[in-house]
Amino acid sequence: MAKDLKPRLCCMSKGDNGYGFHLHGEKGKNGQFIRKVEANSPAEAAGMHAGDRVVEVNGVNVEKETHHQVVQRIKAVEKETRLLVVDKETDELLRGLRLTCTEEMAHSGVSVPGQAAVKQNGTAWKQQLALNSEEPKRMSRTHSSESRKKESRSQMKELHPRLCVLIRGETGYGFNLHSEKSKPGQYIRSVDTGSPADKAGLKTQDRLIEVNGVNIEDLKHSEVVAFIKSRGDEARLLVVDQQADEYFKKLGVTPTERHVKDPLPQPITSGPPKSQTNGSSTPDSSRREIASPEIATECPKETEPPCTHCWVFKLCCHRLGTLWNH
């Protein structure tokens, strides 16, 4: 009997020996995969299979996250987890149709434009894949100029920085901050589901530009941490995603809170790019300096791993026990 070609939503409660599955990454492939499912475990009862690829954890897409980040997301909810997974054949189907996997597909099946939901691995979806290379051409010819204008406006909107206002909860703000050796600046490593950071719109891999209206791009990791700690139970973070970050860097413009709502600065048509703030050229020395005595006295050594002194953001980073045996 042919099986359903659709994602599966596996909901499970942790047993005495954990969830009973092993997660790993595979060379040459993006994402995290289920390496093994233990017999009679919560994972087996939930319908998980070896070889499944994990798409979402507790409603958050993790396809671009590292192994460690996915593990931390699962651990963030102590006694239960909800994983959206796809087997190899369903994964190939969705990739071929250029569709993003969602929880809705786990209930309704995979909807192909112009056809009923695909639920069985007959010849229908294979025929669709064969025609798939022609589909973008047909779609591009039918797009109206108005649709292209809307898409352009939407893309420009996504290039704006985002101002995330967080009120500290009982377990902190709910995000982890880290620096990357290959790139300057401070980045959001993970965001806990349902946390103040999540509700404020903070995203994984966002780059932090300002804290409470002050530019922190030239500060060390420990200095940024100390600065946020010194501001009580509220933090106002200005961040940019990767696409917006690249846009502003190409223009030589420093993002500020004004760029959240104001029109975006436009490319300079002649002459070398200059460092700009709020769309006008300003020297770097005009940035406000942080004169906080706590930074010099409270900062831990830079040689320590970031998460050992990021407790201000994520007080729930304590060990929750072994999720499984690697």
Side-chain angles (χ1 to χ4, degrees):
M1 181 177 178
K3 65 179 179 180
D4 287 352
L5 284 181
K6 62 180 182 180
R8 304 190 313 282
L9 187 61
C10 302
C11 302
M12 62 197 85
S13 298
K14 186 182 291 187
D16 295 336
N17 297 317
Y19 294 114
F21 69 90
H22 298 252
L23 188 71
H24 77 134
E26 296 186 1
K27 290 184 178 180
K29 294 183 180 179
N30 293 326
Q32 299 299 310
F33 296 81
I34 304 302
R35 178 168 61 87
K36 179 182 178 183
V37 177
E38 297 174 1
N40 302 317
S41 65
E44 183 183 55
M48 189 174 287
H49 303 292
D52 286 343
R53 185 171 69 86
V54 180
V55 178
E56 291 184 359
V57 174
N58 297 321
V60 179
N61 188 287
V62 297
E63 292 179 282
K64 295 183 179 180
E65 295 191 358
T66 65
H67 176 82
H68 175 76
Q69 289 172 334
V70 176
V71 170
Q72 292 305 312
R73 282 201 183 278
I74 297 173
K75 285 184 176 181
V77 181
E78 282 194 64
K79 298 181 180 179
E80 62 182 16
T81 193
R82 190 173 86 250
L83 304 184
L84 183 68
V85 300
V86 288
D87 58 26
K88 182 179 180 181
E89 194 168 21
T90 303
D91 201 12
E92 291 176 351
L93 167 63
L94 293 174
R95 290 179 186 276
L97 295 176
R98 300 181 184 179
L99 296 177
T100 300
C101 182
T102 63
E103 280 194 17
E104 183 180 356
M105 292 179 180
H107 304 292
S108 61
V110 180
S111 297
V112 179
Q115 297 183 13
V118 176
K119 291 189 176 182
Q120 295 194 346
N121 61 341
T123 59
W125 73 267
K126 294 180 181 178
Q127 292 172 352
Q128 180 66 25
L129 289 180
L131 295 173
N132 189 63
S133 61
E134 295 297 324
E135 190 66 22
K137 298 178 183 179
R138 292 198 297 271
M139 292 294 289
S140 63
R141 288 195 294 267
T142 57
H143 273 178
S144 65
S145 59
E146 184 63 28
S147 296
R148 287 193 293 271
K149 290 179 182 178
K150 289 181 179 179
E151 289 175 3
S152 177
R153 286 195 296 267
S154 177
Q155 290 173 355
M156 292 299 291
K157 184 178 180 180
E158 292 174 357
L159 294 175
H160 284 270
R162 305 191 317 279
L163 184 61
C164 303
V165 181
L166 291 67
I167 306 298
R168 189 202 301 266
E170 294 180 359
T171 56
Y173 291 122
F175 72 93
N176 287 79
L177 188 71
H178 78 132
S179 55
E180 299 184 3
K181 291 182 179 180
S182 60
K183 296 187 289 185
Q186 302 299 313
Y187 294 82
I188 305 302
R189 186 178 66 180
S190 63
V191 178
D192 292 340
T193 303
S195 66
D198 187 25
K199 294 176 181 177
L202 208 59
K203 305 293 184 184
T204 302
Q205 296 304 316
D206 281 345
R207 187 167 74 88
L208 186 59
I209 305 295
E210 292 183 359
V211 175
N212 298 321
V214 179
N215 187 285
I216 53 83
E217 292 180 281
D218 295 330
L219 297 185
K220 296 178 181 179
H221 176 84
S222 57
E223 292 175 333
V224 177
V225 171
F227 185 53
I228 297 177
K229 286 170 64 176
S230 68
R231 298 293 169 163
D233 293 332
E234 180 176 332
R236 199 170 78 251
L237 308 183
L238 184 72
V239 297
V240 288
D241 59 23
Q242 184 177 357
Q243 188 177 8
D245 197 17
E246 292 176 354
Y247 180 82
F248 278 89
K249 283 181 178 178
K250 286 180 180 179
L251 297 181
V253 177
T254 300
T256 68
E257 287 190 16
R258 288 188 59 184
H259 292 123
V260 174
K261 294 183 178 180
D262 284 359
L264 288 172
Q266 298 302 311
I268 300 173
T269 56
S270 62
K274 299 179 181 179
S275 179
Q276 298 181 25
T277 302
N278 298 340
S280 61
S281 178
T282 60
D284 291 340
S285 60
S286 66
R287 296 182 182 178
R288 280 179 283 174
E289 297 295 332
I290 299 173
S292 175
E294 297 95 333
I295 293 177
T297 58
E298 293 186 18
C299 294
K301 294 180 180 179
E302 274 299 314
T303 55
E304 294 178 354
C307 65
T308 62
H309 53 272
C310 275
W311 59 270
V312 61
F313 308 126
K314 189 174 180 185
L315 298 178
C316 56
C317 263
H318 59 278
R319 294 182 179 274
L320 298 177
T322 302
L323 185 62
W324 51 74
N325 295 321
H326 286 286

